[in-house]
């Protein structure tokens, strides 16, 4: 009787323990399924992933600095002074002249031995001698090109060139001499017969006359009654009227040629006149 009572109590305790564990499991499942638990679980996973990536990159950087062969060249070459650098250079007091045959044979070997390596960061830069061309051969090549162009111009160029009539509107200002001198030298290089008409706003001045008198060209220096305005739009309009005034002079004097508007603020190439 006692034995059956003990067995019954034992069975009751086991069933109660199983029910408690089931309740705990259900409570755990409920806690896992809650939104707060899922949020903290995802946040924990993201933090673990970030730490894994950062740790991997840091370990790669440490491995690179320790086992890299070029990292040993960071501070192996100390800073050299001016005297030490000049000691390795072959400085000549007189330039080497003559053809390539007269240059000593050991010059190439000397230049090759003078090459060095400059350490910048972790990478070395090798310095090699710059292959300078022979100036005598370069001059010969330019002379050949100039002669070919001259022969082509004589064969295929203009047989009977007409007179070039260059019209330049100008006015007295601070940088007038600079601009007018540039146009003057361009016109002096023209290989054709040329007449230079200079129309000056505000009347003829001695400063402009002294500049154009040095050209040696046939010049016509005339003045325009109106002075140059300050606004850009007014200047453009007045310059157009000054060009028309120069065309009136060409008509009055019955000049025959090709009119070119050569402003003092522009650059002119010789191909334009060809």
């Amino acid at each position: 009787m006692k034995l059956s009572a003990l067995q019954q109590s034992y069975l009751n305790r086991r069933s109660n323990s199983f029910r408690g564990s089931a309740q705990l499991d259900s409570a755990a499942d409920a806690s896992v399924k809650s939104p707060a638990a899922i949020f903290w679980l995802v946040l924990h996973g993201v933090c673990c992933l970030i730490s894994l990536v950062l740790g991997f990159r840091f370990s790669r950087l440490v491995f690179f600095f320790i086992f890299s062969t070029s990292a040993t060249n960071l501070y192996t070459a100390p800073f050299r002074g001016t005297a030490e650098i000049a000691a390795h250079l072959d400085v000549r007091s007189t330039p080497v002249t003559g053809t390539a045959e007269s240059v000593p044979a050991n010059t190439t070997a000397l230049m090759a031995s003078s090459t060095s390596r400059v350490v910048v960061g972790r990478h070395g830069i090798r310095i090699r001698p710059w292959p300078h061309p022979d100036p005598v051969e370069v001059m010969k090549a330019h002379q050949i090109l100039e002669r070919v162009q001259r022969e082509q111009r004589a064969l295929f160029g203009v047989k009977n060139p007409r007179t070039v009539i260059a019209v330049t509107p100008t006015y007295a200002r601070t940088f007038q001499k600079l601009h007018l001198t540039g146009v003057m030298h361009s016109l002096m290089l023209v290989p054709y017969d040329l007449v230079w008409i200079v129309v000056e706003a505000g009347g003829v001045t001695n400063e402009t006359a002294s500049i154009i008198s040095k050209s040696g060209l046939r010049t016509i220096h005339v003045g325009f009654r109106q002075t140059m305005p300050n606004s850009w739009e007014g200047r453009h309009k007045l310059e157009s009227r000054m060009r028309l005034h120069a065309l009136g002079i060409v008509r009055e004097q019955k000049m025959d040629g090709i009119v070119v508007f050569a402003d003092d603020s522009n650059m002119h190439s010789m191909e334009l006149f060809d």
Side-chain angles (χ1 to χ4, degrees):
M1 197 65 182
K2 277 185 181 180
L3 183 60
S4 63
L6 289 174
Q7 288 178 355
Q8 189 67 28
S9 64
Y10 175 71
L11 292 174
N12 291 333
R13 284 197 301 270
R14 287 195 63 183
S15 63
N16 292 331
S17 65
F18 287 146
R19 289 174 185 173
S21 63
Q23 292 177 357
L24 289 175
D25 293 339
S26 63
D29 293 339
S31 64
V32 169
K33 292 180 181 179
S34 64
I38 294 175
F39 172 75
W40 288 110
L41 185 62
V42 173
L43 183 62
H44 180 70
V46 171
C47 292
C48 291
L49 184 62
I50 293 174
S51 62
L52 179 63
V53 173
L54 292 179
F56 178 72
R57 291 180 62 87
F58 182 73
S59 62
R60 282 188 61 189
L61 187 62
V62 172
F63 183 82
F64 178 77
F65 275 116
I66 292 177
F67 297 100
S68 178
T69 56
S70 61
T72 57
N73 296 329
L74 282 174
Y75 301 104
T76 54
F79 293 102
R80 294 183 296 176
T82 308
E84 185 179 356
I85 294 175
H88 295 280
L89 299 177
D90 184 20
V91 180
R92 298 178 181 270
S93 58
T94 57
V96 179
T97 58
T99 60
E101 290 78 5
S102 63
V103 180
N106 59 350
T107 304
T108 306
L110 179 61
M111 294 176 65
S113 63
S114 63
T115 58
S116 61
R117 182 182 292 274
V118 178
V119 178
V120 179
R122 299 188 303 271
H123 308 284
I125 300 176
R126 185 179 296 277
I127 299 178
R128 296 181 175 89
W130 182 262
H132 292 284
D134 189 1
V136 178
E137 298 296 331
V138 172
M139 186 60 65
K140 290 181 180 179
H142 282 290
Q143 291 175 357
I144 293 174
L145 289 175
E146 184 181 358
R147 183 174 180 179
V148 170
Q149 292 176 356
R150 188 166 57 250
E151 293 292 336
Q152 289 180 349
R153 188 180 291 109
L155 291 176
F156 306 104
V158 181
K159 300 300 181 180
N160 298 315
R162 301 178 64 182
T163 303
V164 178
I165 304 172
V167 176
T168 303
T170 184
Y171 63 99
R173 60 191 187 276
T174 304
F175 296 100
Q176 182 193 16
K177 185 175 182 179
L178 175 65
H179 297 292
L180 204 59
T181 302
V183 178
M184 180 183 68
H185 283 279
S186 298
L187 297 179
M188 289 169 62
L189 295 175
V190 176
Y192 308 114
D193 187 19
L194 187 139
V195 179
W196 190 17
I197 301 177
V198 180
V199 183
E200 186 175 4
V204 177
T205 59
N206 294 329
E207 291 80 3
T208 306
S210 63
I211 294 173
I212 64 178
S213 62
K214 300 176 183 178
S215 62
L217 302 171
R218 288 192 298 165
T219 59
I220 299 176
H221 185 197
V222 295
F224 199 73
R225 297 187 303 274
Q226 188 176 354
T227 59
M228 187 65 68
N230 295 326
S231 63
W232 289 106
E233 185 178 0
R235 290 181 182 180
H236 294 329
K237 292 181 179 179
L238 184 61
E239 286 178 352
S240 299
R241 295 175 58 187
M242 293 166 67
R243 296 187 187 98
L244 292 175
H245 183 67
L247 293 179
I249 295 175
V250 173
R251 179 183 299 174
E252 290 175 1
Q253 298 187 10
K254 299 180 180 180
M255 301 172 63
D256 185 18
I258 300 175
V259 178
V260 178
F261 294 141
D263 295 347
D264 57 356
S265 58
N266 297 335
M267 302 296 294
H268 303 85
S269 178
M270 294 299 103
E271 285 79 4
L272 171 66
F273 301 98
D274 292 336

